[in-house]
Amino acid sequence: MGRFIFRRLVRTFLAIWALASAVFLLSRHDLDTALRLALPDAASQTGTSPALLPQSQQAALQALRQRFGLDLPVFYVSYGPVSPAGAPAWRWNGRRNQYHQWLWDLARGNLGTSFRTGQGVAGRLRHALAFTLPLTGTAAVLAVLGALALAQRLATTPWWQRPLRVVLVAVHGLPLFVVALILLLVFANPDVLDWLPAYGFGQSSDLDLDAGQHLADILLHLILPVSALVLTAMPELTLQLTAAIQQELGSAYATTARAKGLSEAAVVRRHALRNALLPTLAQIAEFLPALVAGAVVVEAVFALPGMGRLLAEASAARDYPVLIGGVLLTGAVRLLALLLADLCYFWVDPRIRWQS
């Protein structure tokens, strides 16, 4: 088992490093435009060549490039003129380049500095995750537990199976933003049901509330966003797991269990569920990163100050350090989810343990 986990960890680490390097290198071509947005009168100078900027703007742009280390070569090797009058040639830049400095900072937990605000990217991501993690974490747990409970009931073919399947398929076909808007218009609308707040999550931290009231306010603001994520994620998990359980119920070991006197629910719970979970584990590995992507939509609809809002603002302002940190974090979540699925396969299926 130790070798199995070690191999998966090494593969995951290499994949995260390759993803981070690709995102970093691809973002280097448009940095002058991004830095110019932070200058005075940025809107009027965005499409102007750097050589045509006023002298003060050129000096400010050069100061920003030096401050963020963008005056260095991008990579260990580069192609260009060795001297102003020389012919282009390949040149070795050594460790004095942007990529090496970025990797060294990344190894120390430093994700850089925001072009737009001058704040550390790691601090901004931590602040955003303080809102996004409760949202996505709660939605993931509720969606998985709800799918497990509902699929086991549906697999025994109760009378309400067919109408519920129709509802699940209909909800699964709706985009996330449509589900979020429906919940918003129904449960946070003074003209319909004004039960829940539509926005303002996190704003009560400045008010004179005790810990219990503050927690209740947070939970109240999370109900609609979490419900939107759960309603769009749970149908697919439920339908897939139900089909897998029903297939297992037709196998020989399930027939033997019934012959021994076990009820259909007991056969599902004690025998069929574990085997049916194998294809579902891969689906859960895809489901976790999808929740992170869905949080972008939900945070925009419900005005939540989380990762989605942060990355949307960074994209509009071309704040590449924040974008690189967000993409790196999202990609790491995806790869770690796949690693978690591999480990769950290892635990659930004894054949994998035997082969490894």
Side-chain angles (χ1 to χ4, degrees):
M1 181 176 180
R3 291 195 304 271
F4 176 84
I5 296 176
F6 178 75
R7 289 197 301 267
R8 293 298 190 274
L9 287 174
V10 170
R11 287 170 51 185
T12 303
F13 173 79
L14 291 176
I16 292 175
W17 168 74
L19 172 67
S21 300
V23 171
F24 175 82
L25 295 174
L26 289 174
S27 67
R28 298 294 95 180
H29 73 285
D30 202 21
L31 287 176
D32 281 339
T33 302
L35 288 178
R36 238 177 294 165
L37 291 175
L39 297 175
D41 301 325
S44 61
Q45 304 290 348
T46 300
T48 307
S49 172
L52 300 179
L53 290 173
Q55 191 67 29
S56 59
Q57 296 277 4
Q58 293 185 28
L61 182 61
Q62 183 62 27
L64 284 176
R65 289 180 60 84
Q66 292 178 355
R67 175 186 174 188
F68 293 109
L70 303 178
D71 55 333
L72 300 176
V74 174
F75 199 59
Y76 295 101
V77 293
S78 60
Y79 183 78
V82 179
S83 62
W90 288 100
R91 182 172 64 254
W92 172 255
N93 299 311
R95 294 182 299 175
R96 187 175 171 77
N97 61 81
Q98 297 179 39
Y99 179 73
H100 182 85
Q101 185 62 43
W102 176 76
L103 274 185
W104 177 245
D105 290 339
L106 185 63
R108 295 181 297 171
N110 180 13
L111 296 176
T113 305
S114 169
F115 291 165
R116 189 165 63 94
T117 65
Q119 299 174 334
V121 173
R124 299 198 68 190
L125 291 178
R126 280 196 299 268
H127 182 267
L129 285 174
F131 294 95
T132 301
L133 283 180
L135 173 66
T136 55
T138 304
V141 171
L142 291 179
V144 171
L145 293 180
L148 285 173
L150 195 55
Q152 293 180 66
R153 296 294 302 276
L154 286 175
T156 58
T157 62
W159 65 268
W160 43 268
Q161 181 195 50
R162 186 177 297 275
L164 183 57
R165 278 178 176 273
V166 173
V167 173
L168 290 175
V169 171
V171 174
H172 179 57
L174 294 176
L176 175 58
F177 76 92
V178 173
V179 176
L181 288 176
I182 290 174
L183 292 176
L184 191 64
L185 293 174
V186 173
F187 297 103
N189 187 354
D191 297 328
V192 186
L193 297 174
D194 192 13
W195 290 353
L196 298 169
Y199 60 90
F201 181 41
Q203 295 181 1
S204 61
S205 58
D206 298 331
L207 302 178
D208 188 17
L209 298 177
D210 58 33
Q213 291 174 324
H214 183 58
L215 178 61
D217 180 74
I218 291 177
L219 294 177
L220 199 63
H221 282 85
L222 279 177
I223 290 177
L224 288 181
V226 168
S227 299
L229 289 175
V230 170
L231 286 175
T232 53
M234 196 172 70
E236 184 177 2
L237 290 174
T238 303
L239 294 171
Q240 196 280 332
L241 184 56
T242 302
I245 293 176
Q246 289 177 337
Q247 182 177 0
E248 294 296 328
L249 288 176
S251 60
Y253 71 85
T255 303
T256 303
R258 294 190 196 94
K260 292 180 178 180
L262 290 180
S263 65
E264 195 73 5
V267 174
V268 170
R269 187 173 59 254
R270 298 182 187 180
H271 300 282
L273 179 60
R274 184 165 183 172
N275 291 330
L277 281 175
L278 292 176
T280 306
L281 291 176
Q283 190 178 17
I284 292 177
E286 298 288 337
F287 154 73
L288 294 177
L291 273 183
V292 178
V296 177
V297 178
V298 169
E299 288 171 2
V301 172
F302 294 99
L304 303 179
M307 281 289 297
R309 187 171 175 180
L310 175 64
L311 294 181
E313 293 175 352
S315 178
R318 299 187 184 183
D319 196 348
Y320 287 117
V322 176
L323 283 176
I324 291 172
V327 171
L328 177 59
L329 182 62
T330 305
V333 169
R334 170 66 182 274
L335 294 171
L336 291 175
L338 294 175
L339 174 63
L340 179 62
D342 286 340
L343 296 179
C344 290
Y345 270 119
F346 188 89
W347 172 70
V348 171
D349 194 343
R351 294 171 296 182
I352 298 178
R353 294 199 295 268
W354 180 79
Q355 292 174 359
S356 61

